[in-house]
Amino acid sequence: MPSFSWRFIINPEFWFSEKYTDSCGITFKVRSVLYTKESDFQRIDIIDTYDYGRVMLLDGLVMYTEKDEFVYHEMITCVPLFAHPNPKDILVVGGGDGGTVRELGRHTYLNSITEVEIDESVVVAAKEYTPFTGCGYDNEKVNLIIGDGIEFVKNKNNAYDIIIIDSTDPFGPAEGLFSGEFYSNVKNALREDGIVVAQAENPYYDPKWMMRSVNNMRKAFHNNVECYLAYIPTYPSGMWNFALGYKGKKASESFDIKRYKNLNLHFRYYNKNIHRACFALPEFMKEIMQTI
Ligand code: AG3
C-alpha cells in the first residue's frame, strides 16, 4: 500500500492564498508558476490558476486575474472618460500591467495617453506573461515613462483632463500615491473640468485605508469627491471602491451619451446604467464615509 506521503507526491496540489487578515483570505489552485522576480521595488509573481487563468501577484497580493480584470480596467477608465465633457489628454500613474492603457486606447477621440510607472519589471512581465493586459502598450498613442509618478506630477500645471491612479495597495511603493500632497499636485496638473480617479480599497477589510484616500482627496478637491463601486471577485471582499475627485460637474450626474453612442464600443461590465448605478452606495459605506 502506498503511504499517504507517496500519494501526495504523485498528485501534488499546490494552492496559493492571499491573506486578508490572520483568519481570512482567498485561495486559488495553481496550475503552474510562470514567473518570479524580485525587482528593485517589489516581488513579482505570475501564476496560472485553474479558475481565474493567469494572475499577477505583487508582494503576494492579487493585482489582477485573466478572468475578472476587465471589470477593474473598464471601470477605472470609462467612468471618468464619459463623465468628462471633452477629455483629450490622459495621465495614468502606475498601471504597469497595461490594462488601463489598453482600455484608454479604445477611446479613439483621445489625443494622448501618458503613463508613469515606477517599476519597469512589471511592464516587462505583463508584456511577456499576461499579453491580455500587456497589449495595451501596442497602441502608438501610449507614451510610457518609467519613473516616479509622485515626482512627475509635482510641477505640472493645467496639463491633463483626466488622471488615473492605478496603484497597488497603500503601503510599500504606492504609499505616497494616497497622500494629500500628491492629490493637491494632481489637482494642479488637471485642467478645468478635470477628473482624478484612484483605486481606493474596500469598506470591509480596509475602511481606514479606504478613507485615507477619500479624505485626502476631499481636502485637495474641496469636498468635490464621489466614490463608486465595482464587483471584482478576486479583490478583498469582492467590492471595490474608486475615489473620484472633480473640478467641474458632479461625475455621477454627468454622462456624455452622444460620445458613448457614437463610439459604440463593446464593454463587458460598463454601460449607461452602470455609470449611474455605480455611484449608489450602501448605507454602511455611507456611514464609514461620514465617520472615519
Ligand atoms: N491595482 C489594485 C489592486 C488592489 C488589490 N489588492 C489586494 N489584492 N490586496 C490593480 C492594478 C491593475 N491594473
Side-chain angles (χ1 to χ4, degrees):
M1 268 294 278
S3 69
F4 173 78
S5 61
W6 180 80
R7 269 189 294 161
F8 182 73
I9 290 164
I10 60 156
N11 185 19
E13 291 212 343
F14 174 27
W15 296 73
F16 162 79
S17 295
E18 175 183 336
K19 282 188 178 181
Y20 301 150
T21 69
D22 285 341
S23 45
C24 183
I26 189 171
T27 301
F28 303 84
K29 187 171 171 184
V30 178
R31 202 189 297 264
S32 58
V33 177
L34 299 168
Y35 179 83
T36 296
K37 178 176 174 151
E38 286 283 348
S39 78
D40 291 343
F41 300 94
Q42 54 210 339
R43 176 179 164 145
I44 305 167
D45 291 283
I46 296 178
I47 59 176
D48 192 14
T49 66
Y50 284 88
D51 288 44
Y52 281 90
R54 296 191 174 189
V55 180
M56 181 182 276
L57 310 170
L58 293 181
D59 288 335
L61 306 176
V62 174
M63 286 299 117
Y64 58 92
T65 83
E66 191 165 355
K67 189 167 176 166
D68 64 1
E69 56 82 14
F70 69 96
V71 183
Y72 179 93
H73 292 123
E74 286 182 15
M75 288 300 279
I76 206 167
T77 52
C78 285
V79 174
L81 283 169
F82 288 116
H84 193 287
N86 188 21
K88 288 292 172 208
D89 300 300
I90 316 294
L91 173 67
V92 179
V93 176
D97 54 83
T100 294
V101 292
R102 178 198 69 206
E103 285 305 308
L104 290 172
R106 303 173 71 203
H107 295 255
T108 44
Y109 52 86
L110 296 175
N111 281 344
S112 73
I113 302 166
T114 306
E115 176 179 297
V116 184
E117 163 63 48
I118 202 163
D119 193 348
E120 188 169 20
S121 301
V122 172
V123 177
V124 171
K127 280 187 181 169
E128 175 79 20
Y129 294 100
T130 65
F132 52 89
T133 62
C135 66
Y137 296 106
D138 297 343
N139 187 322
E140 58 189 26
K141 262 188 213 166
V142 175
N143 174 25
L144 169 66
I145 298 167
I146 300 299
D148 183 350
I150 297 175
E151 291 301 315
F152 186 85
V153 295
K154 260 185 191 160
N155 302 309
K156 296 277 178 303
N157 254 306
N158 253 331
Y160 300 102
D161 300 301
I162 294 175
I163 298 181
I164 296 175
I165 303 162
D166 182 8
S167 72
T168 53
D169 290 334
F171 27 83
E175 190 165 346
L177 297 176
F178 292 76
S179 75
E181 193 193 338
F182 174 65
Y183 290 140
S184 51
N185 290 332
V186 161
K187 187 174 174 238
N188 290 335
L190 283 170
R191 297 188 180 125
E192 196 185 344
D193 290 326
I195 297 180
V196 59
V197 170
Q199 80 80 6
E201 306 301 304
N202 73 85
Y204 280 97
Y205 296 102
D206 311 309
K208 286 212 172 79
W209 287 113
M210 179 182 96
M211 288 315 294
R212 185 164 169 241
S213 165
V214 174
N215 284 331
N216 285 339
M217 201 183 273
R218 278 171 172 165
K219 276 180 226 147
F221 283 78
H222 309 292
N223 281 330
N224 289 334
V225 173
E226 295 184 285
C227 284
Y228 64 90
L229 295 169
Y231 297 91
I232 306 174
T234 57
Y235 284 175
S237 88
M239 177 181 185
W240 209 249
N241 178 48
F242 298 86
L244 179 152
Y246 55 94
K247 284 176 124 175
K249 280 206 218 139
K250 231 179 159 172
S252 59
E253 290 165 9
S254 314
F255 176 65
D256 190 339
I257 185 138
K258 241 175 134 183
R259 183 159 29 101
Y260 174 79
K261 282 199 170 152
N262 284 343
L263 203 60
N264 199 20
L265 284 178
H266 168 73
F267 296 114
R268 289 171 68 207
Y269 190 90
Y270 180 83
N271 61 35
K272 179 174 153 236
N273 289 339
I274 294 266
H275 187 96
R276 274 185 81 85
C278 67
F279 289 97
L281 304 178
E283 289 303 309
F284 83 98
M285 185 158 158
K286 287 199 238 166
E287 231 164 78
I288 291 171
M289 290 177 65
Q290 278 160 13
T291 51
I292 298 187

